[in-house]
């Protein structure tokens, strides 16, 4: 029987890019085992911070045949993680019991070899502690028996309002994660690197849309012309002046 390999399966057809996974990850991990996750100058000209999970958004196609794709990405917990053998101190390691890749902060010297070897850019340097950090699959949560069993999942999975994230053992053919991969053509990111990433993605399912010329006219453009909208007169009452509240 194959070794247990915990992972995330992310449905790109369902993800709406709301960033609930990003904020829930930050909230849980900054105060947990893997934290803190600093935010330096978050509202300034040069913001810098540590995030275990980021959502990248792409516009694809040529107008009017375009679509928006939201692509969440974190550590993929590779079955053959290239970050592990390059670590000079043994700080990066893969757990035998569940396949999760972790970093031992007590051993990490912040040399960044792991980030250079990771083909997915999943490693983040914490400038405050001087160590490398990354997604832990909320390892301090999924085994916490003080939580209800249905709450023992990564924070990002619990927070996703569209249920775009599935968590489980991808090597167990009866798990929800393995079934989702098998039934929906789940794929690995950049398999040519040979790292066998455990996290999988479910592909966008292309739908046919017929656009008619009148649908390309902006409904909020009464002059039927591009350009700046007409502005109301300075003396026009505002909603605050017209309402009773």
């Amino acid at each position: 029987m194959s070794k247990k390999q915990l992972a995330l399966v992310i449905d790109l057809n369902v993800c709406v890019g709301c960033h609930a996974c990003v904020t829930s990850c930050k909230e849980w991990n900054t105060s947990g085992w893997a934290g803190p996750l600093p935010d330096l100058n978050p509202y300034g000209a040069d913001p810098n911070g540590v995030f275990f999970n980021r959502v990248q958004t792409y516009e694809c196609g040529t107008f009017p045949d375009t679509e928006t794709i939201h692509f969440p990405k974190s550590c993929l917990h590779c079955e053959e993680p290239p970050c592990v053998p390059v670590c000079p101190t043994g700080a990066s390691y893969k757990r035998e019991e569940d396949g999760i890749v972790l970093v031992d902060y007590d051993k990490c010297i912040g040399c960044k070899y792991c980030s250079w070897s990771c083909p997915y850019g999943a490693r983040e340097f914490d400038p405050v502690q001087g160590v490398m950090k990354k997604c832990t699959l909320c390892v301090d949560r999924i085994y916490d028996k003080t939580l209800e069993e249905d709450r023992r999942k990564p924070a990002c999975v619990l927070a996703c309002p569209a249920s775009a994230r599935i968590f489980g053992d991808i090597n167990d053919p009866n798990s929800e994660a393995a079934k989702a991969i098998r039934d929906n053509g789940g794929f690995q990111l950049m398999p040519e690197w040979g790292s066998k990433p455990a996290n999988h993605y479910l592909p966008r399912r292309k739908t046919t849309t017929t656009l008619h010329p009148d649908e390309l006219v902006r409904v909020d453009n009464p002059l039927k012309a591009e350009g700046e909208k007409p502005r109301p007169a300075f003396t026009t009452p505002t909603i605050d002046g017209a309402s009773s509240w």
Side-chain angles (χ1 to χ4, degrees), residues 28-37 52 105 126 129 133:
W28 175 263
N29 287 295
T30 200
S31 56
W33 173 83
L37 308 183
F52 287 174
Y105 296 161
D126 182 341
Q129 290 185 270
K133 295 184 174 179

Side-chain angles (χ1 to χ4, degrees), residues 28-36 93 102-105 134 136 139-140:
W28 175 263
N29 287 295
T30 200
S31 56
W33 173 83
Y93 65 101
L102 294 177
V103 179
D104 184 340
Y105 296 161
K134 54 175 269 326
T136 68
V139 68
D140 55 338

Side-chain angles (χ1 to χ4, degrees), residues 113-126:
Y113 280 0
C114 57
S115 66
W116 296 340
S117 68
C118 175
Y120 310 107
R123 295 281 182 143
E124 306 239 350
F125 180 68
D126 182 341

